[in-house]
Amino acid sequence: MRAPARPAARRPAGPGSPAPRPGYAGAALVVAGIGLGATTALTITAETAGQLAAPGGLATFGGNLTGMVGTYLALMMVLLVSRIPFIERVLGQDGLLRWHRRLAPWPISLLIAHAVLITAGYAQAARTGPWHEAGTLLRSYPDMLTATVGLALICLAGSISVRAIRRRVRREIWWNVHLFIYLALAISFAHVIVLGPSFVGHPLTQVVWSAAWAGTAGLVLTYRVGLPVLRSFRHRLRVAEVQTEGPGVVSVLCQGRHVDRLAVSGGQFFFWRFLTRGMWWQAHPYTLSELPRPPYLRLTVKGVGDHSSALARLKPGTRVAIEGPYGVFTRHSQRRPRVALIAAGIGVTSVRALLEDLPRGARPAVVLRAARREDLVLGTEIADLVKRRAGQLHELTGDRTEASIDQHSLRRLVPDIKDRDVYICGPEGFVGEIVALARWLGVPDEAIHHEAYAL
C-alpha cells in the first residue's frame, strides 16, 4: 500500500531551522582561548625555581606543560563534535569535522610528549634508565596504568583517521574506534587530578578543572544522547514504505507524530538509526529529500555501502531513531537574491529539498549531472519546483566528456553565476572541482556553499 501523494507546490508548514548566530560561536571561541591561556598559566606558575633546578626538573616541567595543554585540547576536540546547536548552525558538520581533524594532531603529539618527558625527568631524578623508570611508574603510581591505556586508545583513534588508512577502513569500524576517545579521557581524569603538579595542593584548580571536565561530559551526553533519545521518543517514527527511485536508489518514507514541529530547513540531514537486526547499533547521516509533510519524513539514498544498501530491505513498521537536524547547506547561508544549485549523483536530494525552501520567484539556476538519464532521480519533482520558482533546469547526462562542467559550459548555462550564491552537492571529487571552478569564475568564497557525500 503506497503512502498518499504529497504535493510539492508549497512549503510545508513548520518552524524551519533557527538562523545561525555567529556572535555566539565567536563568544565560545573566546572562552576556549581564555581557557587555554589559563591552563598554560596555571601550569607555569605551579612550578618553582627549585623544582626546575633539580635533576630532571626541566624535563618534568615540560611533561607537565604538554600534558595539561594536550588534555585541554583533547577536551576541545571532543566539544567540536558534541553537536552543540548554536555552534553547529554556524560551522555545520563539515566545518566542525575539519576543525576537529586540524586540531587532532596537537593533543595526540602533546600527550605523547608528556609521557616521554615525564618518564625522562623522573629517570634523571632517580638516576635510573628510562625503561626502568617507565616500569616503576606503571607499577607504583596511582592511576598511571589507566592513563597509559587511555593514551594508547587516543593514539589508536588518531592513527585510524590518517587519510591513507581511513579510506581502507569501514565507516562502522572507524566510528567505533573513535568512541574510545571518550573512554580514554574518562579513565585519564583521576590520573590528572591525583598526580598533576598544578592540582596537588591547589584545591581551587582541582574544582575548576573538574567543572570543565564535567561540563564537557554533560554537553556530550546532552546533545549526543539525551536530545536524540527525547526527539526520537517524541516523534516515534516508523518506516511506512520503501520506494524505488532509480538504479540502486530508494526513498524511505517514515511516518511519525508531531513531524510539523521539527525545526528543519531544506538541505539539512539527520543521523538515522533503524532499530532492526544488524542496523540498530549504527547511525548514518542522510539528507531529507523533501521537507517534512506531516506525518511523513522522506530520505532518498543510493546504495553504495553495507548500510545504505540495506535500506532497500527495510520492512514497514521498523522503528526509527533520529539525531538532528544538522547542516548549513540551507537558505540561511544565502547572501544574494538569486542562487545556482549544482549537483551530481545522489546530491540531487539536498538540492530538491533546498529548492522547496526557496521563495517563489527565486529564479534558481539548477544544473544536474549524471552518468545516465535514469540516474537523475526525483527529476519530475525538481523540474516542477524549478518551474514554480521561475528558474531554469539543465540536465547533463553521459560520461565526463559528454556532460562535462567546465568554465565554458558553466558560464554558458549560468551566465550571471558570479552574481549568485552557488550551492554545490555531490561526491567529494565533484564538489572540489566545482568549488574551484566557481572561484575561478569570480564567485567569492562567502557565496559558495557545498556539501560532499562520502563513504
Side-chain angles (χ1 to χ4, degrees):
M1 174 179 170
R2 293 185 63 86
R6 300 167 311 287
R10 60 179 180 82
R11 188 199 191 285
S17 64
R21 297 179 178 271
Y24 289 178
L29 180 61
V30 170
V31 171
I34 292 173
L36 178 60
T39 298
T40 305
L42 286 171
T43 307
I44 293 174
T45 56
E47 297 290 333
T48 65
Q51 290 171 325
L52 291 173
L58 286 175
T60 302
F61 168 69
N64 292 333
L65 183 60
T66 53
M68 289 290 290
V69 175
T71 301
Y72 182 85
L73 292 179
L75 292 179
M76 293 299 102
M77 190 173 67
V78 168
L79 285 176
L80 281 172
V81 291
S82 62
R83 296 169 188 162
I84 301 172
F86 71 87
I87 296 178
E88 197 278 336
R89 291 184 198 120
V90 174
L91 296 178
Q93 287 291 304
D94 285 351
L96 289 171
L97 286 174
R98 279 195 300 271
W99 281 105
H100 176 82
R101 294 189 191 105
R102 290 171 183 170
L103 180 61
W106 290 98
I108 295 173
S109 300
L110 288 169
L111 291 173
I112 292 174
H114 160 73
V116 172
L117 289 171
I118 285 291
T119 302
Y122 280 33
Q124 292 174 21
R127 302 184 187 281
T128 61
W131 291 111
H132 178 273
E133 189 60 30
T136 301
L137 289 171
L138 290 174
R139 291 192 304 268
S140 305
Y141 283 73
D143 303 304
M144 188 64 74
L145 180 59
T146 56
T148 303
V149 172
L151 177 58
L153 293 175
I154 291 175
C155 291
L156 174 62
S159 63
I160 204 173
S161 295
V162 175
R163 183 176 292 271
I165 300 175
R166 172 70 183 93
R167 289 175 175 173
R168 293 171 171 78
V169 176
R170 292 174 57 191
R171 182 185 185 277
E172 292 79 10
I173 296 175
W174 173 86
W175 183 77
N176 286 328
V177 169
H178 265 65
L179 292 181
F180 288 144
I181 292 181
Y182 299 115
L183 175 62
L185 290 174
I187 65 180
S188 300
F189 173 71
H191 155 74
V192 175
I193 294 295
V194 172
L195 296 179
S198 301
F199 299 102
V200 177
H202 298 80
L204 179 59
T205 304
Q206 290 182 356
V207 170
V208 172
W209 191 261
S210 298
W213 217 296
T216 300
L219 288 170
V220 170
L221 290 173
T222 297
Y223 294 116
R224 296 294 299 267
V225 181
L227 187 58
V229 169
L230 180 64
R231 186 163 286 155
S232 297
F233 180 79
R234 180 186 189 188
H235 297 293
R236 299 188 183 183
L237 291 170
R238 292 176 180 267
V239 173
E241 185 184 4
V242 178
Q243 305 170 355
T244 299
E245 302 287 359
V249 179
V250 298
S251 285
V252 180
L253 201 64
C254 300
Q255 182 175 356
R257 306 188 310 168
H258 311 304
V259 171
D260 56 311
R261 298 181 188 176
L262 276 171
V264 57
S265 294
Q268 290 191 304
F269 65 91
F270 288 87
F271 281 88
W272 302 81
R273 189 183 302 272
F274 297 93
L275 306 183
T276 186
R277 184 177 180 180
M279 300 179 72
W280 64 269
W281 57 276
Q282 51 185 311
H284 283 243
Y286 298 120
T287 303
L288 285 180
S289 59
E290 180 180 36
L291 288 173
R293 294 192 178 277
Y296 299 106
L297 292 180
R298 187 183 74 175
L299 60 151
T300 303
V301 180
K302 183 177 180 64
V304 293
D306 293 343
H307 190 275
S308 55
S309 297
L311 298 187
R313 300 188 294 273
L314 286 173
K315 302 298 184 184
T318 300
R319 294 180 181 273
V320 184
I322 56 173
E323 180 185 350
Y326 300 121
V328 294
F329 194 78
T330 69
R331 58 188 171 85
H332 291 308
S333 299
Q334 187 177 346
R335 300 289 180 268
R336 297 166 169 193
R338 289 175 293 176
V339 300
L341 310 178
I342 306 172
I346 200 62
V348 301
T349 58
S350 294
V351 165
R352 189 256 179 253
L354 180 57
L355 271 170
E356 194 175 5
D357 219 6
L358 295 177
R360 295 288 185 91
R363 299 177 63 190
V366 181
V367 180
L368 305 180
R369 191 178 81 180
R372 300 172 298 175
R373 182 73 187 177
E374 54 266 32
D375 292 327
L376 290 171
V377 298
L378 308 179
T380 302
E381 296 179 20
I382 291 174
D384 181 61
L385 289 167
V386 171
K387 180 180 178 181
R388 292 177 181 276
R389 282 152 182 78
Q392 291 183 316
L393 174 62
H394 306 281
E395 297 178 338
L396 308 177
T397 58
D399 59 29
R400 287 181 175 271
T401 57
E402 296 173 328
S404 65
I405 300 180
D406 55 26
Q407 64 268 33
H408 303 295
S409 61
L410 190 54
R411 186 181 281 151
R412 174 175 51 81
L413 296 173
V414 192
D416 60 345
I417 188 170
K418 65 184 179 61
D419 299 318
R420 294 175 179 258
D421 273 82
V422 180
Y423 288 80
I424 307 161
C425 192
E428 285 183 296
F430 171 82
V431 169
E433 291 174 7
I434 304 302
V435 167
L437 182 57
R439 288 173 178 155
W440 190 89
L441 291 173
V443 183
D445 284 346
E446 62 269 19
I448 300 175
H449 322 287
H450 53 87
E451 186 165 280
Y453 287 9
L455 290 178

